[in-house]
Short mmCIF file of all heavy atoms in Angstrom, two decimals:
data_model
loop_
_atom_site.label_atom_id
_atom_site.label_comp_id
_atom_site.label_asym_id
_atom_site.label_seq_id
_atom_site.Cartn_x
_atom_site.Cartn_y
_atom_site.Cartn_z
N LEU A 1205 267.53 103.95 33.01
CA LEU A 1205 266.13 104.02 33.38
C LEU A 1205 265.96 105.46 34.05
O LEU A 1205 264.99 106.13 33.71
CB LEU A 1205 265.71 102.96 34.24
CG LEU A 1205 264.31 103.00 34.71
CD1 LEU A 1205 263.33 102.96 33.57
CD2 LEU A 1205 263.91 101.95 35.67
N LYS A 1206 266.87 105.82 34.95
CA LYS A 1206 266.73 107.18 35.65
C LYS A 1206 266.83 108.30 34.49
O LYS A 1206 266.12 109.25 34.60
CB LYS A 1206 267.86 107.29 36.59
CG LYS A 1206 267.60 106.46 37.85
CD LYS A 1206 266.37 106.94 38.58
CE LYS A 1206 266.20 106.19 39.79
NZ LYS A 1206 265.02 106.51 40.52
N LEU A 1207 267.76 108.14 33.58
CA LEU A 1207 268.05 109.19 32.55
C LEU A 1207 266.71 109.24 31.73
O LEU A 1207 266.18 110.38 31.36
CB LEU A 1207 269.15 108.94 31.69
CG LEU A 1207 270.51 109.14 32.38
CD1 LEU A 1207 271.78 108.75 31.47
CD2 LEU A 1207 270.69 110.67 32.70
N ALA A 1208 266.15 108.11 31.27
CA ALA A 1208 265.04 108.12 30.46
C ALA A 1208 263.84 108.73 31.22
O ALA A 1208 262.93 109.55 30.61
CB ALA A 1208 264.66 106.68 30.10
N THR A 1209 263.69 108.36 32.52
CA THR A 1209 262.61 109.00 33.30
C THR A 1209 262.75 110.49 33.37
O THR A 1209 261.80 111.27 33.19
CB THR A 1209 262.50 108.37 34.71
OG1 THR A 1209 262.47 107.02 34.58
CG2 THR A 1209 261.48 108.88 35.63
N MET A 1210 263.93 111.00 33.65
CA MET A 1210 264.25 112.39 33.63
C MET A 1210 263.84 113.13 32.39
O MET A 1210 263.33 114.28 32.44
CB MET A 1210 265.64 112.63 34.01
CG MET A 1210 266.03 112.24 35.49
SD MET A 1210 267.83 112.23 35.91
CE MET A 1210 268.23 113.95 35.56
N ILE A 1211 264.15 112.51 31.28
CA ILE A 1211 263.85 113.09 29.93
C ILE A 1211 262.34 113.23 29.72
O ILE A 1211 261.84 114.34 29.35
CB ILE A 1211 264.50 112.28 28.83
CG1 ILE A 1211 266.01 112.31 28.87
CG2 ILE A 1211 264.01 112.68 27.47
CD1 ILE A 1211 266.67 111.42 27.95
N VAL A 1212 261.56 112.12 30.16
CA VAL A 1212 260.17 112.17 30.00
C VAL A 1212 259.58 113.27 30.94
O VAL A 1212 258.69 114.17 30.55
CB VAL A 1212 259.59 110.92 30.39
CG1 VAL A 1212 258.02 111.01 30.36
CG2 VAL A 1212 259.89 109.86 29.21
N ARG A 1213 260.04 113.37 32.25
CA ARG A 1213 259.45 114.30 33.21
C ARG A 1213 259.88 115.75 32.72
O ARG A 1213 259.15 116.71 33.12
CB ARG A 1213 260.03 114.00 34.50
CG ARG A 1213 259.40 112.79 35.19
CD ARG A 1213 259.99 112.59 36.53
NE ARG A 1213 259.55 111.27 37.22
CZ ARG A 1213 258.58 111.21 38.09
NH1 ARG A 1213 258.21 112.28 38.68
NH2 ARG A 1213 258.30 110.04 38.62
N ASP A 1214 260.82 115.97 32.06
CA ASP A 1214 261.37 117.23 31.67
C ASP A 1214 260.57 117.78 30.40
O ASP A 1214 260.71 118.85 29.97
CB ASP A 1214 262.91 117.22 31.29
CG ASP A 1214 263.61 118.12 32.38
OD1 ASP A 1214 263.06 118.63 33.19
OD2 ASP A 1214 264.82 118.30 32.02
N GLY A 1215 259.68 116.88 29.76
CA GLY A 1215 259.07 117.27 28.62
C GLY A 1215 258.09 118.44 28.58
O GLY A 1215 257.53 118.53 29.81
N GLU A 1216 257.98 119.24 27.71
CA GLU A 1216 257.09 120.39 27.68
C GLU A 1216 255.71 119.88 27.93
O GLU A 1216 255.17 119.13 27.26
CB GLU A 1216 257.29 121.12 26.32
CG GLU A 1216 256.50 122.51 26.41
CD GLU A 1216 256.75 123.32 25.24
OE1 GLU A 1216 257.83 123.11 24.56
OE2 GLU A 1216 255.85 124.05 24.76
N GLY A 1217 255.03 120.54 28.88
CA GLY A 1217 253.63 120.29 29.04
C GLY A 1217 253.39 118.98 29.89
O GLY A 1217 252.14 118.64 30.12
N VAL A 1218 254.33 118.32 30.38
CA VAL A 1218 254.17 117.01 31.06
C VAL A 1218 253.64 117.46 32.62
O VAL A 1218 254.24 118.16 33.16
CB VAL A 1218 255.42 116.22 31.16
CG1 VAL A 1218 255.31 115.12 32.23
CG2 VAL A 1218 255.89 115.79 29.83
N THR A 1219 252.61 116.91 32.91
CA THR A 1219 251.83 117.16 34.18
C THR A 1219 251.73 115.88 34.98
O THR A 1219 251.65 115.92 36.14
CB THR A 1219 250.49 117.93 34.16
OG1 THR A 1219 249.67 116.95 33.38
CG2 THR A 1219 250.68 119.13 33.42
N ARG A 1220 251.77 114.75 34.38
CA ARG A 1220 251.62 113.36 35.02
C ARG A 1220 252.74 112.49 34.43
O ARG A 1220 253.11 112.51 33.32
CB ARG A 1220 250.30 112.81 34.73
CG ARG A 1220 249.06 113.65 34.95
CD ARG A 1220 248.80 113.57 36.64
NE ARG A 1220 247.55 114.12 36.92
CZ ARG A 1220 247.31 115.41 37.25
NH1 ARG A 1220 248.37 116.30 37.12
NH2 ARG A 1220 246.05 115.82 37.51
N PHE A 1221 253.09 111.56 35.34
CA PHE A 1221 254.08 110.47 34.95
C PHE A 1221 253.66 109.25 35.63
O PHE A 1221 253.43 109.23 36.87
CB PHE A 1221 255.48 110.89 35.37
CG PHE A 1221 256.51 109.86 35.05
CD1 PHE A 1221 257.11 109.90 33.75
CD2 PHE A 1221 256.97 108.94 35.96
CE1 PHE A 1221 258.08 108.89 33.36
CE2 PHE A 1221 257.77 107.87 35.54
CZ PHE A 1221 258.36 108.04 34.38
N ILE A 1222 253.33 108.21 34.87
CA ILE A 1222 253.01 106.99 35.50
C ILE A 1222 254.01 105.75 35.07
O ILE A 1222 254.62 106.01 33.94
CB ILE A 1222 251.57 106.55 35.11
CG1 ILE A 1222 251.34 106.30 33.61
CG2 ILE A 1222 250.58 107.53 35.61
CD1 ILE A 1222 250.11 105.62 33.30
#
Side-chain angles (χ1 to χ4, degrees):
L1205 180 60
K1206 287 294 183 186
L1207 288 172
T1209 301
M1210 290 168 61
I1211 290 168
V1212 171
R1213 286 180 188 253
D1214 246 4
E1216 184 176 334
V1218 173
T1219 59
R1220 303 281 194 271
F1221 181 87
I1222 64 169

